[in-house]
Structure formats: C-alpha cells, structure tokens
Amino acid sequence: MAPPEVFSLSQQTPVTCHAFNADRTQVAVSLNSNEVLIYAREGNDWKVIDTLTEHDKPVTSIDWAPRSNRIVTSAQDRNAYVWQQSPDPQTGHMVWKPTLVLLRINRAATYVRWSPNEDKFAVASGARAIAICSFDPEGDWWVSRLLKKPIRSTVLSVDWHPNNVLLAAGSADMKARVFSAYIKDVDKKPAPSVWGEKLPFNTICGEYASPSGGWVHDVAFSPSGDVLAFASHDSSVTIVYPGGPAVYTIKMSILPLVTLTWTTEESIIAAGHDCQPLVFSGNQGGWELVGSLDDPQSNKSSGGARSGFGGASPVGRLNSAAFNTFRNAAERGISNVPGSPTTSSSTESELFTVHQNTITSVRPYDGVPGNITHVSTSGVDGKLVVWDVSAVTPIGATGLAGKLGKMQLR
C-alpha cells in the first residue's frame, strides 16, 4: 500500500479549505485569513506563487473550475469573487483578476461550489439562503437568485447533481435538502430522474432529517446523482436512496465527521474531528464502515511505539499525559517516578494519525467521477495530505465498527 503524501503548508495556522487546479500542479488554500494563497508544486514541496487579496474577512470556501480555470471564493465579508487569469497590460504576465458577484445576502457566505458545466455556482450563507449565481455579460458581473424556503438556519454545505440543475444542501437546522436550481436562460430542461420530473426554481425534491438532531455538515451526490450522502454532527453518515425509497444511517461512537466525498458509486470517504479519513462501503442492500485510509497502529515519524505509551492507542485517541499515566499505572504497573519511563513534553498530546487535528476538507484528487483513485485532505494542523483510496486499513480491531440502521421514508 502506497503511503500518503504529506505536505505541511503551515506550522501554526489551520487550512480552512483547499482546491486544486485541473492538472494538480497548483493548489489554492485559505490559511484561516482573508487571503487565498496559490501554491505551485516544486518536486516534493509547495511554493507560494500568488496571493488573492480582495476579501476583507476570513475566506470560508474555495473552488477551482477544471475546464475554465476560474477560481471562486466566498468569505465572511458576505462576498464572493470569481477570479480569472488575464495578461497584465504593463508587464504582460498572467495575473488573477476578480469579478464582482452580487450575492444579495446579509450574513457570511459559508460555502461555494461550481456547477458541473461551470456556467453557474452556488454560494451557501448564514442568511438562511443559497445564492445561485450566473454570469450577466451586459453588466460584466455575476448575478444571483436565492433559494430560501424552507431553510431555517445557516447553510453549511452544497453539492451539485451531475445534471447541472439539482443542488443538495446541508444546514444547521438539522436537515439535508435537494433543491432545483434551474435557471431558464442558462440551463436546458433536465431529463426526468429519481428526484423528479418538473423542476422549476426552488422546487424541493427531497428533505431528510439528521438522525439525532445534529447539524448537517456536508452533503454529496453519488457519481450517478441517484444517491445522496450527508454527514451530521451526531457522529453519523446517512445515505439516501430516493428511488427505493430507503435511508441507511451509520452511527458511530467517534467524534463527528464534517466532510465527505464519493469515490465510486458504492464507496464514500468521510473525515472530521477524529483526524483521519474513514471509508464507507455499500449499496442499496446496506452500508457499513469498513476501514480508514490512515493506519494509526503503524509508527509515524514521531508517534510510534514510545517509552511509557504501551503501544499505539485506538484510532484518533489523544495520548495525553494524564490518560497515559493512569493507563500505565493500571495496566503495566508503571508510575512516573524517578527511573520509570515518562513521556516528553513534545509528545504528550500527539496523535497516532497523520493529521494532528480536525480534517476540514476532503476532495477528489485523481481519477474520474465514479472511479476516484486518490483524495486530498486539509486540516487544522496546517497539513495537506494526498491519500490512495485503495490503501484501506480495516478497523475491526479498533472498536469503531459502526452500527447500521435502516428506516423507510415517510
């Protein structure tokens, strides 16, 4: 199994979000600030080559369109900008120039994604609305129409259906919804699907509650668009088959997941506060948690079998000084007295996972929709990691096997 590629973009600052260009030679990231840094790959390292500085509040989300090479950013300043490269009139060098987006929202923009055809994008917000933005050539700006009803709280994530019309959204009102974002002058009439046939703007095609009332952190359509998955703050992942109809919920006794993506029609990678990407597999007959892309039992560069630790602990568990002192005294008769093994201050709070803090974003890195071979993750620890999705470590021995439940839609 190929080990993950680990890059440390920042030692002290979280990576809020990231987005790669089409050939993966550049990546745009936000280091929890109002700037977007563009890195270019040089061998086994990344170097900053450009900085986008139009926002005046922290950037919340970035998306990079692979075919048109346009970047869209959203921020807490209630604005979004579309960035496109054009030659500088004085130097002739290619520079990123922003185009204004008229969002018409009065709260922070929280999440942004291009549509599959790259002719519009969706901006989630704290204003209980989603702005569907398309380009107006007369005004030379991007204009928006708002999806509002029946959203009751901040929208935390969005994802586009492959047909370029349907949009999934997860929000803090504990609901995942599927809307129609059909714009007459932009979209062709979509073909009938499991989500419906007549799809005027703001049609509600589906509404699904979080199993135990947690915020819906992330939503994602399967490669075919016929299945919806969402991750909630109640440490659950829910997979919806509207054509069944059936809903499968995997409940776990770990910290909540906040981001997910499909790799195939029958496989999902999800990550969050437990600091590692988990692998879920299944079909319309059932779903289960099958493993992790990380291997917390293997020796990390500075977190292997260390004196006083008694070997690696279960996935994602924090190796705090107090916990290990108690465990070593109870299980091994070791106490922190002169002459006995002790932990050093540099390893007292080290995890046995690659990421040392919450994973904020997981995105496809290599492959095509329906056959993703690598995914990338970024986290609060300032790391950017590329994982091989075939390198799955079984989690049966870690005590994190999920409980699978099934319920019929009403």
Side-chain angles (χ1 to χ4, degrees):
M1 295 189 296
E5 295 183 81
V6 183
F7 308 99
S8 184
L9 301 183
S10 171
Q11 297 295 332
Q12 303 291 335
T13 311
V15 178
T16 306
C17 49
H18 76 281
F20 282 93
N21 67 347
D23 60 9
R24 304 304 189 251
T25 58
Q26 297 181 13
V27 62
V29 304
S30 168
L31 297 181
N32 200 33
S33 71
N34 64 326
E35 297 179 339
V36 174
L37 303 179
I38 298 180
Y39 289 79
R41 185 159 188 172
E42 295 185 355
N44 292 326
D45 204 1
W46 294 87
K47 180 181 179 181
V48 178
I49 60 170
D50 219 332
T51 304
L52 312 183
T53 58
E54 199 70 21
H55 291 287
D56 56 18
K57 290 287 191 299
V59 173
T60 55
S61 187
I62 306 169
D63 201 24
W64 200 326
R67 294 191 300 275
S68 60
N69 199 40
R70 293 181 297 202
I71 298 174
V72 61
T73 59
S74 63
Q76 293 179 14
D77 58 8
R78 301 171 295 169
N79 289 323
Y81 291 98
V82 175
W83 305 81
Q84 193 160 9
Q85 280 188 313
S86 60
D88 185 279
Q90 297 179 345
T91 64
H93 296 303
M94 298 297 286
V95 295
W96 290 97
K97 294 187 176 180
T99 302
L100 179 65
V101 181
L102 300 179
L103 288 183
R104 300 187 296 126
I105 59 176
N106 58 5
R107 295 291 186 274
T110 57
Y111 203 89
V112 63
R113 285 294 181 267
W114 284 105
S115 68
N117 293 347
E118 300 177 13
D119 52 3
K120 58 184 181 179
F121 57 88
V123 182
S125 74
R128 299 187 299 179
I130 305 168
I132 308 300
C133 306
S134 57
F135 189 68
D136 176 14
E138 294 183 4
D140 193 28
W141 52 29
W142 292 78
V143 296
S144 65
R145 294 185 64 184
L146 298 182
L147 295 169
K148 288 187 174 182
K149 295 180 180 180
I151 302 170
R152 303 301 300 165
S153 189
T154 299
V155 181
L156 301 176
S157 61
V158 294
D159 189 51
W160 287 95
H161 189 280
N163 69 5
N164 207 66
V165 171
L166 297 176
L167 183 77
S171 60
D173 60 5
M174 289 84 78
K175 297 287 180 65
R177 299 180 177 91
V178 177
F179 296 92
S180 170
Y182 177 80
I183 298 178
K184 185 176 181 181
D185 297 331
V186 176
D187 297 309
K188 296 180 181 178
K189 186 177 180 180
S193 70
V194 294
W195 301 101
E197 297 183 8
K198 295 183 178 180
L199 301 171
F201 189 80
N202 212 152
T203 300
I204 308 299
C205 303
E207 182 176 89
Y208 309 96
S210 172
S212 302
W215 290 5
V216 177
H217 286 293
D218 202 9
V219 293
F221 281 110
S222 67
S224 68
D226 293 341
V227 192
L228 177 71
F230 61 91
S232 308
H233 199 71
D234 56 1
S235 297
S236 70
V237 172
T238 302
I239 298 93
V240 178
Y241 288 86
V247 176
Y248 294 93
T249 299
I250 303 171
K251 297 181 180 179
M252 296 158 289
S253 57
I254 61 172
L255 298 176
L257 304 170
V258 299
T259 177
L260 57 81
T261 188
W262 292 77
T263 53
T264 69
E265 192 69 21
E266 298 181 346
S267 181
I268 296 171
I269 307 292
H273 294 288
D274 221 53
C275 310
Q276 63 179 311
L278 302 178
V279 182
F280 299 86
S281 181
N283 50 43
Q284 200 159 354
W287 278 79
E288 62 180 346
L289 172 62
V290 297
S292 170
L293 297 185
D294 204 343
D295 184 4
Q297 305 296 341
S298 69
N299 293 333
K300 300 298 184 289
S301 59
S302 59
R306 291 169 294 202
S307 176
F309 272 69
S313 46
V315 174
R317 176 176 287 173
L318 185 66
N319 285 289
S320 66
F323 175 83
N324 284 288
T325 298
F326 178 82
R327 184 180 65 181
N328 290 334
E331 297 179 1
R332 305 179 65 199
I334 299 175
S335 60
N336 289 339
V337 296
S340 68
T342 60
T343 60
S344 64
S345 59
S346 63
T347 59
E348 283 182 353
S349 59
E350 195 163 351
L351 301 181
F352 287 132
T353 50
V354 171
H355 278 288
Q356 293 296 298
N357 210 322
T358 300
I359 296 175
T360 55
S361 179
V362 56
R363 307 197 66 170
Y365 179 81
D366 195 15
V368 296
N371 187 24
I372 300 298
T373 59
H374 292 78
V375 296
S376 60
T377 58
S378 57
V380 177
D381 57 358
K383 290 181 180 177
L384 178 68
V385 184
V386 177
W387 308 83
D388 182 351
V389 301
S390 65
V392 180
T393 302
I395 51 87
T398 65
L400 294 179
K403 296 185 298 180
L404 183 65
K406 178 180 178 181
M407 53 185 175
Q408 294 294 326
L409 290 178
R410 297 173 183 174

